[in-house]
Amino acid sequence: MKNTVICLLLFGISLTASAQEKVETVSMRYETQNDMPLFYQKMKENLTYPMAWGNSSIRNFEKWREEARKTLLDCMLPAPPATAFDKEVIDTEQRNGYRAEKILFSVSEYSRVPAYLLVPAGNGPFPAVLLLHDHGAHFSIGKEKMVRPFGVEASVLADADDWAEKCYDKQYVGDYLASHGYVVLAVDALFWGERGRKEGVRYDSQQALAANMLQMGMSWGALIAWDDIRSAEFLASLPMVHKDKIGTMGFSMGAHRAWMVSAATDVVKAGAAVCWMNTTDSLMTLTNNQNKGGSAYSMIIPGIRNWMDYPHVASIACPKPMLFINGLRDKLFPVKGVESAFSTMQDVWKSQSVENLLTTKFYDLPHFCSKEIQDDILEFFNQNLK
């Protein structure tokens, strides 16, 4: 009897240990790491980009361009309902060689948006540039990152001046271009500046906004792109603007927006993109900033990766003049991925014998839009829009 009890106790201890080990084994199982699925490499391998130029069965470039753009716009659907722009001037300020206007216009039936419009002195029509502001996880200002604000609280001006120093080498790109004879339009994207949160700035609300919009059938990133298209069309509608000489420029997220709108509409004739070009293979890793969610939602077009990668989409802009600049010390965009993307685009422009219209450059800089880069941008627009 005693031996039986001892055996039962030992069996119970063994069973308990075995059960505990099983629980620990189960609790240690996982299938995501750094918020990426463990099978992310296989997912990337399955991306064949069948609509990319060279991958597509379409061999006529104009036909390919038409179909590739349709694919892009289909992934962006639905578009916000269009309506008359109905421009309204709220305030003006005379600056050295140009006039600054604070305006309102209807970018869609959904949104009547504030914007800055800079108009050179003299008789038009003038070439024009749609300036697209960055992300920067800095939402209190948007258009004010590109154009020096006026008629605002001192805190807003201080915020804008600080951002210009931090990202643009103490120079407002919009004012710089306007002083050289360009009409400039800068508009807040949804979630920035005067299109921000009633409750105040909150980084994590990006994901909530994106999720809420998706649940109602629309992508936040696509809405931003549609607004940019419509803003370009608004710019083209202005009497002082030369409709065949409209460019776009942006830094960081603004660069993504710049090559997107260049690909999406031929209202834009030339584009300059600073510090946003890469490949999905290089960005979708366990350590890159792109895998953190949040900010990425502002640039996600649902389903587009099943058809084209970033440089393939940008290549829809071909044969337009395009300028792409990235920094060798930019920690957000691995140089290897930038080089690969640049090579892909170079092949496209070369295939159409217009390789001279595509400029890809590296600066020995971090994520930054220096005055030297802005000089390059001005020269680029002078060559292609004047």
Side-chain angles (χ1 to χ4, degrees), residues 7-19:
C7 287
L8 286 172
L9 286 171
L10 290 173
F11 177 74
I13 292 170
S14 174
L15 188 63
T16 302
S18 177

Side-chain angles (χ1 to χ4, degrees), residues 260-286:
M260 275 286 293
V261 74
S262 297
T265 176
D266 287 333
V267 170
V268 173
K269 308 301 182 184
V274 181
C275 292
W276 212 118
M277 178 47 67
N278 218 274
T279 66
T280 297
D281 186 54
S282 286
L283 294 182
M284 286 290 94
T285 68
L286 294 180

Side-chain angles (χ1 to χ4, degrees), residues 106-292:
S106 297
V107 74
S108 70
E109 281 188 9
Y110 295 158
S111 303
R112 187 158 177 80
V113 298
Y116 282 119
L117 182 69
L118 307 182
V119 182
N123 298 319
F126 302 100
V129 178
L130 173 64
L131 284 185
L132 303 168
H133 67 74
D134 60 76
H135 186 292
H138 191 78
F139 309 107
S140 53
I141 54 174
K143 60 189 178 298
E144 297 84 2
K145 296 178 178 182
M146 311 304 287
V147 172
R148 192 169 193 269
F150 68 98
V152 297
E153 295 179 2
S155 60
V156 175
L157 179 57
D159 191 2
D161 283 344
D162 180 67
W163 198 255
E165 179 175 355
K166 179 179 179 180
C167 295
Y168 299 94
D169 213 358
K170 300 182 181 180
Q171 180 167 269
Y172 287 93
V173 182
D175 293 84
Y176 175 64
L177 292 175
S179 69
H180 286 85
Y182 290 87
V183 173
V184 170
L185 177 68
V187 187
D188 290 324
L190 181 65
F191 202 72
W192 278 266
E194 294 179 271
R195 299 181 72 189
R197 295 179 76 240
K198 178 181 180 180
E199 303 86 352
V201 170
R202 180 174 177 267
Y203 181 87
D204 288 343
S205 287
Q206 293 178 98
Q207 295 194 162
L209 173 65
N212 290 336
M213 292 185 68
L214 284 169
Q215 291 179 86
M216 293 181 283
M218 183 177 285
S219 155
W220 177 34
L223 176 72
I224 290 174
W226 284 118
D227 282 356
D228 291 343
I229 293 169
R230 196 65 176 144
S231 295
E233 293 171 349
F234 168 70
L235 194 53
S237 76
L238 299 176
M240 76 287 287
V241 170
H242 195 305
K243 295 168 180 55
D244 293 325
K245 296 183 178 182
I246 295 175
T248 186
M249 177 269 166
F251 161 70
S252 195
M253 180 188 79
H256 183 284
R257 296 167 66 191
W259 54 255
M260 275 286 293
V261 74
S262 297
T265 176
D266 287 333
V267 170
V268 173
K269 308 301 182 184
V274 181
C275 292
W276 212 118
M277 178 47 67
N278 218 274
T279 66
T280 297
D281 186 54
S282 286
L283 294 182
M284 286 290 94
T285 68
L286 294 180
T287 57
N288 189 267
N289 186 70
Q290 191 75 359
N291 76 1
K292 294 179 180 178

Side-chain angles (χ1 to χ4, degrees), residues 47-84:
L47 294 174
T48 59
Y49 308 120
M51 186 49 77
W53 175 248
N55 293 348
S56 169
S57 60
I58 302 172
R59 292 292 176 257
N60 178 280
F61 188 77
E62 282 303 315
K63 180 64 176 175
W64 169 80
R65 192 168 181 262
E66 179 183 336
E67 290 301 314
R69 176 176 287 169
K70 182 179 183 300
T71 298
L72 172 63
L73 297 180
D74 282 350
C75 289
M76 289 166 51
L77 289 174
T83 190

